[in-house]
Amino acid sequence: MHTLIQKLDSNIKWWSMYACLLGFFYFFSSPFIGKTIKPSYSNFSRWYISWILLAALYHLPSFLSMGVDLRMNLSLFLTLFVSSILFLLVFHVIFLGLWYLGLVARVAGKRPEILTIVQNCAVLSIACCVFYSHCGNLAVVREKTFGRRNSGWFSLWNKEERNTWLTKLVGMTKLKDRVCKSWFAPVGSASDYPFLSKWVIYGELTCNGSCAQSSNEISPLYSLWATFIGLYIANYVVERSSGWALSRPLSLKEFEKLKKKQTKPEFLDMVPWYSGTSADLFKTMFDLLVSVTLFVGRFDMRMMQAAMSRVEDGAKQEDLLYDQFSGKDGLWFDFMADTGDGGNSSYTVARLLAQPSLRLQVNGSMRTLPRGDMLLIGGDLAYPNPSSFTYEKRFFRPFEYALQPPMWYKEEHIAVSKPELPPEVDELRQYDGPQCFVIPGNHDWFDGLQTYMRYICHKSWLGGWFMPQKKSYFALQLPNRWWVFGLDLALHCDIDVYQFKFFSELVRDKVGKNDSVIIMTHEPNWLLDWYFDNLTGKNVTYLIRDHLKERCRLRIAGDVHHYMRHSYVPSNKPVYVQHLLVNGCGGAFLHPTHVFKNFKEIYGTSYETKAAYPTFEDSSRIALGNILKFRKKNWQFDVIGGMIYFMLVFSMFPQCQLDHILRDDTFSGRLGTFFGTVWDLFMYMLGCSYVSAAGAILLLTIAIVFVPSMVSWKKRLLIGILHVSAHLAAALILMLLMELGVEICIRHKLLATSGYHTLYQWYQSVESEHFPDPTGLRERIEQWTFGLYPACIKYLMSGFDVPEVMAVTRSNICKNGIDSLSRGGAVIYYASVFLYFWVLSTPVVSLILGSYLYISINWLHIHFDEAFSSLRIANYKSFTRFHINTKGDLEVFTLAVDKVPKEWKLDPNWDGESKQPQEPSYLQKFPSKWRAKAPQQDPVNTVRIIDHFVIEQKE
């Protein structure tokens, strides 16, 4: 290190280059350290970073000063790796041939995993490289056979030298030499093993000057490699010949039994809304652009439902009106919305809904809240689009884990005639289990409501909740003159005329003048209309104001994934709705609350905020995560971000005239010249570039359209220009930094000195010296493999010459012009540039976009959906539990969990509870299969009440 500092202390550019290079590589790879990254992408990123970083570092100075020869270790690894793969592939082909001839056991017929062979070869090659780094490939001329090997290492432990071995330990170099010569010495001379004399690589002789004789000692590195290969072959032969290895292979029946005995649930992660690689998101875009725009706009499933109704009189339609709860003295029921995103969050809410009771503190005293007899779900059942996969994995599975369906229930069953009651129940009024009613949301309408109809209206069970519902909208007559109207707003944010006819006639014929009605919609148009300065839901407004008049006591909705309650401010004006409640915390990502804190009026009535979850302060603080966590949460955005930045600077590669930056002696002068060059590049892009200018214009258009329409055109234009300017400046700065680094390396003869195969040529020049082959083994292998052996190594090593390829091609372009390159040469050059520029650009593009979202949500109060969908927050989940008491008052409790568990285990209480074949799961004391791995994090133990109020029934 002292030598390194002496060499570099007078030149700050090398330190700067190392800092930039390692810094960008660290920021690129930092998101892949956490548990949120999928293993496949994490493995790809780990190998990609290792490849690109090693390819850059071995071309730079200073590593030889520290005693590390990256070129030798890298080339040796690749040589051993290719040799091991070729050798093992030949072995496996021979072994399978023996199995085919019946010379080995029948269990040996299973083909080996290619990935297993590759991994074993990689580990084997790394071990050999570590050995070479410490012990080399030295051949030892043996004068004593046994005494010498014992005198090297074990002399440290002799009694006479016990007092001096600590002194020897200080000399780590001598200790290392003794270990190498004693424990890892060559196995012997080729003359000792005549059969191996033509099939081995020899060790390197150590002598002062040229050695008179050639080495006759077998290479210790070759011995180690052959030992590892032999161990692999021996283990494989024993395993496949006897059927046993270190672990016995499982039979098919045993595997199925093990699969049934799950140790943790199969939950999906939160939907990556900023992914550039998600097939679900591409399907969602297709549905929005094609299916919804072309077909759903001209065909409304609600019209089909009305046409299929058997009775024309809306007030008598059995398919839409349910009164099985009306005869009870009181009723407990629950409301949730926007589930079916992350499995952990959805199951957290479902587990709480499934509990027979929850004992919580209410106003200073303990209350027992029993499970609801009815569950209302306010839409958006699965994200990002309605499909069999998302409904089954993201919606049904968490509820089935929380409360199991009957044992006789089959997933593939289609309910033709609903309600399909259990065999022992004659009518719906007699069924005492929990029931479920669901309205669709905008995401459920993306396919024209096809998946919703198949899974909700033509199935009878959501886990242990019975679903008697037949249509996408309904009315529920509840005890003590309470009603629930479940409206289907579709994608038009309003009810259709047939739906309006049903509810208006129901109000006229069934709903009393002093009855109370709860309106359930998917979208809280009172909040969104105020936020977007819009007016939607005219039919709903007409129904509430002119038909229900003042009988709508409460409106509940989801769609916005937070909890907020607004209550009316008493006045002389008529109050059409007393309370407005939004609770979309059923499982989807969190939405902010602070952007809606100024909402105050709807229907001419003033309202005030009574509860918000999370609080306005917490909501504003959470938005800060966009700056620090955007890329960690949205690592798939790298694909889009890297390509956008490369497109912005594509026409500016390469930069040949950089002398004016390097000539300045002062740091301030270099900095000023650097940013002056950035401005010149920007002007060049506007005046001369085609690809980069087109990319900038396209990005500007997208940025302006991305700003919400609620903002005026002037502000949208200004915001879009500032946003794109930040990205464009960052892309130009990164491009210039990269070109400066390459230029400095070229001037110091570190790059552009050889050609496209520098690593292989260097290895060939030192191979004969350090790895003698007097018998010509390598030449024979080359003949037997028809040149495949050296060719594979050559082109594999060329993958680590990417900086050299970039520099050589860049020099040719600067001398002869871009037209001198062939089409293939241009592809190779821009591909090599992209490999490094992608690593440099992706952390920066995510940082700028995250900062833009933070400024937008906290300063401008726009992009509330985009700024929080990027964070994919699974925490802050809640649902609302209602109680109609014997007096007719409606008591409302909202229960919440601040932190959602990420790890689950089988609940021993559920596993140990006896289950009768015909016993329904809702009668179990412990109905949920999984509990949090840490008991103190389980939702049952952390749930709390965040809001409680009472709506008194009219006399």
Side-chain angles (χ1 to χ4, degrees):
M1 182 60 69
H2 180 69
T3 306
L4 173 64
I5 294 174
Q6 280 186 332
K7 287 187 175 183
L8 301 182
D9 61 355
S10 60
N11 201 337
I12 196 64
K13 59 177 171 288
W14 294 120
W15 291 106
S16 302
M17 190 178 299
Y18 272 109
C20 291
L21 187 65
L22 296 177
F24 276 107
F25 274 95
Y26 168 75
F27 286 117
F28 181 87
S29 58
S30 58
F32 313 129
I33 301 174
K35 297 181 180 179
T36 58
I37 307 303
K38 292 184 178 180
S40 58
Y41 191 80
S42 180
N43 292 334
F44 161 76
S45 302
R46 196 173 292 117
W47 286 107
Y48 179 81
I49 287 295
S50 302
W51 167 41
I52 295 297
L53 183 60
L54 286 175
L57 291 182
Y58 99 83
H59 285 285
L60 296 179
S62 79
F63 276 94
L64 283 174
S65 302
M66 292 187 289
V68 179
D69 191 350
L70 280 180
R71 292 181 299 178
M72 176 56 79
N73 284 279
L74 184 59
S75 56
L76 183 61
F77 168 80
L78 296 174
T79 303
L80 293 172
F81 183 69
V82 173
S83 303
S84 302
I85 288 181
L86 291 176
F87 192 90
L88 292 182
L89 286 178
V90 171
F91 159 73
H92 283 295
V93 170
I94 295 174
F95 193 79
L96 287 175
L98 295 176
W99 168 82
Y100 184 77
L101 296 175
L103 300 179
V104 294
R106 301 301 300 174
V107 73
K110 182 182 177 182
R111 295 182 180 179
E113 295 287 342
I114 299 298
L115 182 60
T116 303
I117 298 176
V118 172
Q119 289 177 344
N120 279 290
C121 292
V123 173
L124 183 154
S125 303
I126 291 174
C128 291
C129 289
V130 171
F131 171 81
Y132 181 80
S133 298
H134 291 281
C135 298
N137 190 42
L138 302 181
V140 180
V141 180
R142 295 172 298 162
E143 298 176 357
K144 298 180 181 180
T145 56
F146 182 78
R148 175 166 180 158
R149 295 196 179 187
N150 281 304
S151 63
W153 168 262
F154 292 101
S155 63
L156 295 177
W157 302 95
N158 292 338
K159 293 182 179 180
E160 295 80 4
E161 299 187 9
R162 186 174 297 175
N163 296 329
T164 61
W165 83 274
L166 287 176
T167 306
K168 294 184 177 181
L169 186 62
V170 177
M172 294 301 295
T173 303
K174 295 181 180 179
L175 178 64
K176 182 183 68 173
D177 290 342
R178 291 192 176 188
V179 172
C180 293
K181 292 178 181 179
S182 300
W183 284 13
F184 299 108
V187 295
S189 171
S191 59
D192 299 334
Y193 308 97
F195 178 75
L196 297 176
S197 60
K198 293 184 179 181
W199 306 100
V200 299
I201 299 296
Y202 291 86
E204 178 185 0
L205 285 176
T206 56
C207 51
N208 297 326
S210 60
C211 298
Q213 57 181 355
S214 61
S215 173
N216 196 32
E217 293 284 324
I218 297 176
S219 164
L221 188 64
Y222 175 84
S223 303
L224 184 64
W225 176 81
T227 302
F228 283 131
I229 291 291
L231 288 174
Y232 174 89
I233 293 175
N235 179 73
Y236 188 85
V237 170
V238 171
E239 174 189 348
R240 296 308 172 95
S241 298
S242 62
W244 288 82
L246 297 179
S247 60
R248 182 171 61 89
L250 294 175
S251 65
L252 184 60
K253 291 183 179 180
E254 290 173 331
F255 177 76
E256 292 296 332
K257 290 181 180 179
L258 184 63
K259 187 177 179 181
K260 290 181 180 179
K261 188 66 175 180
Q262 276 184 290
T263 58
K264 60 181 180 179
E266 299 174 355
F267 287 152
L268 298 179
D269 199 4
M270 306 290 285
V271 174
W273 295 99
Y274 284 82
S275 171
T277 58
S278 174
D280 280 337
L281 292 179
F282 284 118
K283 181 181 182 301
T284 303
M285 293 176 61
F286 175 82
D287 288 341
L288 286 173
L289 296 175
V290 179
S291 180
V292 173
T293 305
L294 297 181
F295 299 106
V296 179
R298 293 164 174 77
F299 172 77
D300 196 330
M301 180 62 73
R302 296 174 299 181
M303 299 172 58
M304 179 65 72
Q305 294 179 90
M308 293 176 63
S309 298
R310 291 172 293 179
V311 182
E312 204 172 39
D313 186 0
K316 296 181 180 179
Q317 289 186 6
E318 297 177 357
D319 292 350
L320 300 172
L321 176 61
Y322 300 88
D323 60 355
Q324 63 268 27
F325 299 108
S326 60
K328 295 188 175 184
D329 295 333
L331 182 71
W332 289 85
F333 62 100
D334 299 323
F335 168 75
M336 67 171 296
D338 300 277
T339 185
D341 191 351
N344 293 322
S345 54
S346 299
Y347 177 72
T348 294
V349 178
R351 173 169 167 78
L352 293 173
L353 292 169
Q355 297 305 304
S357 63
L358 295 171
R359 188 163 178 79
L360 300 167
Q361 189 173 16
V362 183
N363 297 331
S365 61
M366 297 302 294
R367 289 277 302 272
T368 298
L369 310 183
R371 177 174 53 215
D373 297 317
M374 177 178 64
L375 172 61
L376 302 174
I377 301 181
D380 278 356
L381 308 182
Y383 294 89
N385 59 73
S387 65
S388 298
F389 176 82
T390 55
Y391 264 59
E392 292 173 4
K393 302 295 184 181
R394 296 188 181 274
F395 178 50
F396 274 83
R397 177 165 291 175
F399 280 87
E400 290 171 352
Y401 281 148
L403 190 67
Q404 281 71 42
M407 292 187 177
W408 41 264
Y409 168 73
K410 296 181 179 180
E411 292 184 2
E412 63 273 12
H413 176 70
I414 298 176
V416 179
S417 179
K418 296 180 73 171
E420 292 184 336
L421 296 166
E424 66 276 6
V425 180
D426 295 330
E427 61 177 1
L428 191 57
R429 290 178 180 270
Q430 297 177 357
Y431 182 72
D432 56 356
Q435 301 178 33
C436 180
F437 292 86
V438 185
I439 61 171
N442 58 306
H443 284 266
D444 304 306
W445 267 95
F446 284 172
D447 66 344
L449 216 63
Q450 298 296 325
T451 307
Y452 171 90
M453 297 295 293
R454 186 165 72 250
Y455 279 88
I456 303 300
C457 298
H458 296 293
K459 284 188 179 293
S460 296
W461 296 94
L462 172 63
W465 285 269
F466 180 65
M467 294 192 298
Q469 180 181 344
K470 302 178 183 178
K471 298 291 190 296
S472 63
Y473 55 92
F474 50 83
L476 300 169
Q477 186 176 1
L478 305 183
N480 300 326
R481 295 182 286 116
W482 280 93
W483 296 78
V484 171
F485 289 179
L487 310 183
D488 179 7
L489 303 183
L491 293 172
H492 310 291
C493 304
D494 205 355
I495 57 176
D496 62 310
V497 64
Y498 300 101
Q499 197 173 169
F500 181 87
K501 178 178 183 294
F502 165 71
F503 286 110
S504 60
E505 291 180 354
L506 184 65
V507 171
R508 182 193 65 194
D509 299 336
K510 293 283 188 178
V511 180
K513 292 184 179 180
N514 292 320
D515 288 2
S516 299
V517 178
I518 302 172
I519 297 290
M520 179 175 69
T521 58
H522 167 64
E523 182 180 280
N525 64 336
W526 60 91
L527 273 186
L528 298 180
D529 285 354
W530 167 83
Y531 180 81
F532 290 108
D533 192 20
N534 199 2
L535 182 62
T536 61
K538 294 182 179 179
N539 291 343
V540 177
T541 302
Y542 184 56
L543 177 67
I544 292 175
R545 297 186 62 168
D546 293 78
H547 289 264
L548 285 175
K549 298 182 179 177
E550 297 184 31
R551 284 174 283 184
C552 181
R553 311 295 300 281
L554 175 66
R555 283 198 65 179
I556 57 177
D559 191 50
V560 183
H561 311 156
H562 62 221
Y563 176 77
M564 289 191 76
R565 175 172 67 91
H566 296 86
S567 297
Y568 75 102
V569 178
S571 65
N572 296 327
K573 298 180 181 179
V575 180
Y576 297 105
V577 182
Q578 290 186 359
H579 303 276
L580 304 169
L581 186 149
V582 181
N583 192 349
C585 302
F589 64 89
L590 182 68
H591 270 145
T593 56
H594 65 281
V595 297
F596 299 100
K597 63 181 179 181
N598 293 326
F599 166 78
K600 293 181 179 179
E601 185 178 351
I602 188 177
Y603 303 138
T605 305
S606 297
Y607 291 85
E608 59 181 347
T609 305
K610 291 294 186 179
Y613 179 76
T615 62
F616 297 147
E617 295 77 13
D618 289 342
S619 176
S620 179
R621 175 183 53 81
I622 291 170
L624 185 62
N626 271 294
I627 299 178
L628 305 176
K629 300 179 181 178
F630 179 88
R631 186 162 175 266
K632 184 175 182 179
K633 297 287 186 179
N634 305 278
W635 43 269
Q636 292 111 321
F637 187 72
D638 286 353
V639 176
I640 299 176
M643 290 183 176
I644 290 176
Y645 268 36
F646 186 69
M647 182 175 62
L648 291 177
V649 297
F650 176 81
S651 300
M652 263 72 80
F653 283 106
Q655 289 297 311
C656 300
Q657 304 298 328
L658 299 176
D659 294 341
H660 58 291
I661 300 178
L662 301 176
R663 272 199 305 264
D664 287 316
D665 296 330
T666 62
F667 178 76
S668 58
R670 291 179 179 177
L671 196 63
T673 309
F674 179 86
F675 284 104
T677 306
V678 172
W679 176 256
D680 294 338
L681 289 174
F682 173 71
M683 299 305 296
Y684 171 81
M685 183 197 71
L686 295 180
C688 303
S689 172
Y690 294 101
V691 176
S692 299
I697 294 173
L698 178 62
L699 184 61
L700 179 61
T701 305
I702 295 174
I704 295 173
V705 174
F706 185 58
V707 180
S709 57
M710 56 184 283
V711 182
S712 64
W713 269 105
K714 292 182 179 179
K715 290 184 178 180
R716 293 178 70 183
L717 185 63
L718 178 61
I719 293 172
I721 291 175
L722 292 176
H723 186 192
V724 173
S725 298
H727 285 296
L728 186 58
L732 292 173
I733 290 172
L734 292 175
M735 184 275 300
L736 193 56
L737 282 175
M738 181 173 169
E739 285 292 285
L740 276 173
V742 176
E743 178 70 19
I744 291 172
C745 290
I746 292 175
R747 294 192 176 202
H748 287 79
K749 307 298 182 182
L750 298 172
L751 290 177
T753 56
S754 299
Y756 292 161
H757 298 285
T758 56
L759 183 60
Y760 179 71
Q761 292 169 2
W762 177 87
Y763 180 72
Q764 271 193 322
S765 66
V766 300
E767 185 182 41
S768 58
E769 177 184 354
H770 295 284
F771 300 94
D773 181 23
T775 62
L777 176 61
R778 281 189 286 264
E779 294 180 1
R780 294 198 300 274
I781 296 177
E782 181 178 353
Q783 293 176 357
W784 295 336
T785 58
F786 302 100
L788 186 63
Y789 162 69
C792 289
I793 296 176
K794 178 179 179 181
Y795 288 103
L796 193 59
M797 286 185 180
S798 67
F800 290 85
D801 284 317
V802 175
E804 181 71 15
V805 171
M806 185 195 315
V808 170
T809 313
R810 179 182 182 275
S811 299
N812 293 335
I813 295 175
C814 292
K815 290 180 181 179
N816 305 317
I818 190 68
D819 295 333
S820 63
L821 277 185
S822 64
R823 183 172 298 178
V827 170
I828 293 175
Y829 171 69
Y830 285 110
S832 62
V833 168
F834 177 75
L835 289 173
Y836 280 94
F837 189 77
W838 188 46
V839 175
L840 299 179
S841 61
T842 46
V844 177
V845 64
S846 296
L847 178 64
I848 294 177
L849 182 57
S851 301
Y852 166 78
L853 292 176
Y854 168 74
I855 294 172
S856 298
I857 189 65
N858 270 13
W859 296 5
L860 306 177
H861 286 183
I862 59 175
H863 289 306
F864 82 91
D865 194 22
E866 294 84 356
F868 270 65
S869 63
S870 63
L871 296 175
R872 301 166 64 189
I873 297 174
N875 298 324
Y876 299 99
K877 291 295 156 276
S878 68
F879 68 96
T880 301
R881 180 157 288 179
F882 301 91
H883 178 214
I884 301 175
N885 58 27
T886 55
K887 295 189 301 181
D889 298 338
L890 181 67
E891 196 170 9
V892 185
F893 309 85
T894 297
L895 291 72
V897 173
D898 295 337
K899 189 172 181 60
V900 169
K902 295 181 180 179
E903 295 183 354
W904 306 87
K905 69 176 183 178
L906 189 67
D907 190 347
N909 295 321
W910 176 87
D911 195 31
E913 186 176 7
S914 60
K915 302 174 181 65
Q916 302 299 325
Q918 298 301 323
E919 181 185 21
S921 58
Y922 65 84
L923 295 179
Q924 297 174 9
K925 187 178 179 180
F926 303 99
S928 300
K929 184 175 182 179
W930 308 104
R931 58 171 296 176
K933 197 170 185 179
Q936 66 273 15
Q937 296 179 358
D938 193 81
V940 178
N941 299 326
T942 60
V943 63
R944 62 188 180 94
I945 293 178
I946 59 172
D947 191 23
H948 172 231
F949 65 101
V950 178
I951 304 176
E952 296 181 354
Q953 179 63 287
K954 295 180 180 179
E955 296 183 0

